[in-house]
Each structure stands twice: as structure tokens, then as C-alpha cells.
Amino acid sequence: MVKLYDLDRHIRIKANKYPATERKTVLKQIVDDHLRFADSLKWPRSSREDTSSELDNLRSLYWGSTGIIWALESLKLDKPFLERPYSRNSNQELSLPEVEGIGINSFFMSDVALELINAKKNSSYIPAELAMANSPADLFFGLAGSLLYYFHAYKITGLEDFAEKFREYLGVAAENNYLNNYVFEWKSKPYRLVGAAHGLVGLLGVILRAREFIPKKHFSMADRLSHDLIRSAISDVKYSNWPFEFGDVDCERIYFCHGATGVIAMLSNCVSRERGSIKILESAGSLVYEAGAVSKGVSLCHGTSGSAYALLQIHKLTGESKWLDRAIELSNVAISQYKDSSERRYSLFTGDTGLMVLLTSLENGNYGFPVLDYF
């Protein structure tokens, strides 16, 4: 029998059917809670986070202040969240230490995204260049994240230099044959990972988003490989998921970082439309919905807010209202999880900040996945 996910990674919660007015009230509560620390731009770290981790970075986009700043800026409050430009690495202690060559060139694990935030706030601000993080080639630590930085820099400024930088880094990916022979090396051990955070899906999804300004041959290859990857799903008669590594026969995770949520988020609205791939993505969305609340909490990376965003992507893909209804249902589940938790977690990808962004999306109708589809 095919194993499509680990039941222990999910919990059953009977959520209230919160009306839009109640969701808006909860959103305001979360925003007000985050604004309590706005003067210092230093938010408390959850006791559930491993603060001894070698990747601990309180200023990062992924789990630190940069991600929270981005979320608060994206709310478009009545007045700018902060009038002055944001400064980077003001406290060396908060910089990401180099870990096997990753260092501060990681888009997600450093504060370099402040450059893009400043450019959005001031049209004359030119984002700094980001040195290439080409090993590993993944989204969170490596080359795919560097590509995403230049994708957004080009979209925000319109400067051709950033599109050219994207093409330069894409050429490195082609020269190293990352698309056909993708390997994520961590602590000197190679992995052939599938998922959005550290696998081939993340690299493919970023390349597909740049269709308008990359060579056709690169888009065509990424598109073909994306359809091949979608069709490689492990499926039963109703549901589909993707394993941790290529070659695995079972699946465990339904997260953004690994599993169906991330595949849907990265690929569903970027690949060319093929009926077979669409049906598989829909069956993966059905699994995300069936699995329900993620036991780790409400986060985007490995939580219920990420699952709700996956269903919003299927809604965008198919135009069917049932997927929007299901996303709202999961957002209500996430609200219940948030209310039941005794601890607040301030982090875009690992905490309550992700729920704040989700509730904002449901209110304003921008259903793109945060940071990937819009910045």
C-alpha cells in the first residue's frame, strides 16, 4: 500500500467557521502584537526554536526580523511602517555565520532582502548586488535563492542589469548541469532532494517565473523537467504527493519545504498548462486539504498557513471556487491553532507572521505565495 503522508505530522481540529469579520479581527490582533516591537525591530525568539543552531539568524528573511519587516510593510498600513531606510548587519552578532560556504549570500537566511524592501519604499534606491551562492543550488541556502533575489530586483526597479545578473547566474546553473543532475550537499553528504526549499522544485520554480526575460531554451528545459517532476508523483486513486528524495517509494511530509505544498506553490501557476499535470496537482491539493492541520503550527514553511496557500494556488490554476472555500476552511483551522497556542511566534516562515500574511491575502484577494509570487 502506498504511503502518501505521515499521520503523526497532522492533527485533527474542529475549527470554527469564522466569518470574514472575525478573520479581520484576528488579523488586527496579530498585527498589533507584532507592532509592539516595532521601535526596536527586534522580535522575541520562540523557545521552541533551536537558538543554538549554526544557522540561527535573528535578522533573516526566513525566520528573523527581515521577514517580519517585509510582512508588516506588505500590509500597507495607514502610514509607512518605518520612514527611514532599513540598515543591514548593524549588529555583527546577528549575521549569519558561514556554514560550509553558505554565509550571508543566502537570500532567505540573511537580511539582504532589506535591499529590496528599501527599493520598494524609494524608487531611487538601487538594491545592492548579491554575490552568487551557488553551492548548494537550492532556494533557501543557494543559487535558486540568488536567482529569486535578482528576479524581484528586476521586477521592482525595471533595471536591465538585474535581469542580466539573473541570466548570468542561470548560465552557471546550466554549466553545472544542475537541472538534469540536481544534488543538494549538506555536511559533505549528497542528497537528491525533490522539494521546494532544498530540492529541484525550488530551482525550477524560480526559473519558470522569469520566462519573460530568459532565453527560451532555458525556460523550455525547466518547463519540460517540471512536467516530468509533476508526473513522477506517488499517487493512489485520489491523492498525490512527492517524496523527500528522488527514488523514495513513500512520502511523509506535506509541507512547503518538502512535499505537495511546496510543489504546488512553486510550479502550479508557472508551468505550461497540460491537462495531465493539472490533474495531478489537483489531486495533490486534495491531499493537502484531507491531511488538514499541520501539527507544527500555523507557519508557511511547515504549517497550516502554507497548506492554505497551496489551495489558493489550485484555485488560481483551476478557477474553481471550491478551492478558495477549502483554503478559507484551512485558514479557520490555523486561527484555531493560533488561539489555542500559549506562545506567540514571530517569524514569517516558521511562526504567526505567516498567518498574518495569509489573512491579509484572503482580505485583499492577492492569492500569490508570499515572497515567491510577489515581494
Side-chain angles (χ1 to χ4, degrees):
M1 183 177 179
V2 174
K3 179 182 178 182
L4 290 179
Y5 72 102
D6 183 355
L7 288 170
D8 291 339
R9 296 176 186 269
H10 297 265
I11 53 177
R12 291 295 175 188
I13 293 178
K14 186 176 182 181
N16 294 321
K17 293 184 178 180
Y18 298 108
T21 53
E22 177 65 15
R23 292 198 299 272
K24 191 169 184 176
T25 298
V26 173
L27 171 59
K28 185 178 185 307
Q29 291 172 352
I30 302 174
V31 171
D32 288 345
D33 182 43
H34 280 66
L35 289 175
R36 291 190 299 127
F37 306 96
D39 289 343
S40 68
L41 298 182
K42 293 181 180 179
W43 285 265
R45 188 70 183 272
S46 168
S47 62
R48 287 185 283 174
E49 301 284 3
D50 178 12
T51 55
S52 65
S53 169
E54 59 192 348
L55 290 174
D56 179 35
N57 176 17
L58 298 181
R59 291 178 61 94
S60 75
L61 176 65
Y62 178 76
W63 52 37
S65 60
T66 299
I68 299 169
I69 290 168
W70 175 85
L72 290 169
E73 288 282 4
S74 71
L75 293 175
K76 295 181 172 57
L77 302 170
D78 293 337
K79 61 180 181 178
F81 175 55
L82 191 68
E83 295 285 356
R84 60 179 170 78
Y86 296 103
S87 59
R88 294 179 54 205
N89 293 322
S90 60
N91 184 341
Q92 189 64 32
E93 181 185 356
L94 300 182
S95 299
L96 178 70
E98 288 204 356
V99 181
E100 298 191 4
I102 294 170
I104 62 172
N105 294 331
S106 163
F107 177 44
F108 281 85
M109 298 299 170
S110 76
D111 63 0
V112 70
L114 292 175
E115 294 289 327
L116 302 180
I117 296 173
N118 286 335
K120 286 194 69 176
K121 290 164 66 72
N122 181 354
S123 60
S124 65
Y125 189 96
I126 307 300
E129 287 195 5
L130 175 63
M132 189 184 310
N134 67 337
S135 179
D138 73 318
L139 183 66
F140 278 1
F141 296 142
L143 178 61
S146 302
L147 288 169
L148 186 61
Y149 174 82
Y150 281 114
F151 170 79
H152 286 310
Y154 174 67
K155 287 293 187 178
I156 292 168
T157 67
L159 295 176
E160 182 61 26
D161 287 352
F162 292 124
E164 182 56 38
K165 209 68 179 177
F166 186 104
R167 290 188 289 266
E168 176 189 333
Y169 285 16
L170 179 56
V172 172
E175 289 172 11
N176 287 277
N177 201 26
Y178 286 145
L179 293 180
N180 286 307
N181 187 29
Y182 183 91
V183 175
F184 175 81
E185 187 166 322
W186 186 247
K187 297 186 182 298
S188 302
K189 184 177 179 181
Y191 300 90
R192 298 190 66 246
L193 301 184
V194 178
H198 304 299
L200 179 59
V201 167
L203 182 58
L204 290 172
V206 176
I207 294 171
L208 292 175
R209 281 166 169 77
R211 179 176 190 169
E212 66 180 82
F213 59 85
I214 62 173
K216 183 178 180 180
K217 65 178 181 179
H218 290 315
F219 175 84
S220 297
M221 175 179 285
D223 188 59
R224 175 179 58 80
L225 290 172
S226 295
H227 283 294
D228 289 346
L229 189 149
I230 291 169
R231 289 191 291 266
S232 74
I234 296 174
S235 305
D236 62 15
V237 294
K238 292 179 64 177
Y239 305 122
S240 297
N241 198 3
W242 289 266
F244 184 69
E245 284 194 80
F246 288 102
D248 288 350
V249 295
D250 288 320
C251 307
E252 292 187 358
R253 300 164 177 83
I254 309 176
Y255 301 155
F256 171 79
C257 46
H258 302 285
T261 300
V263 175
I264 292 169
M266 294 303 303
L267 302 182
S268 61
N269 288 287
C270 299
V271 296
S272 59
R273 296 180 68 89
E274 289 186 8
R275 181 168 178 80
S277 293
I278 292 173
K279 298 302 290 184
I280 295 171
L281 289 167
E282 285 187 88
S283 67
S286 295
L287 181 68
V288 172
Y289 175 70
E290 172 64 24
V294 179
S295 58
K296 287 191 173 186
V298 302
S299 72
L300 292 177
C301 185
H302 36 261
T304 309
S305 295
S307 298
Y309 265 115
L311 301 187
L312 289 176
Q313 308 320 300
I314 301 297
H315 170 61
K316 288 172 58 181
L317 177 67
T318 65
E320 295 179 3
S321 60
K322 71 176 183 180
W323 294 106
L324 176 57
D325 294 339
R326 290 174 173 181
I328 291 173
E329 185 178 334
L330 276 189
S331 76
N332 290 337
V333 170
I335 289 173
S336 294
Q337 288 179 276
Y338 171 79
K339 289 187 171 186
D340 290 343
S341 175
S342 61
E343 182 181 25
R344 301 280 72 92
R345 303 182 73 180
Y346 305 95
S347 165
L348 177 57
F349 277 87
T350 66
D352 303 338
T353 317
L355 176 58
M356 180 173 75
V357 175
L358 170 64
L359 296 178
T360 302
S361 291
L362 292 174
E363 185 176 337
N364 64 23
N366 180 2
Y367 299 149
F369 200 96
V371 176
L372 301 179
D373 296 320
Y374 67 97
F375 193 92

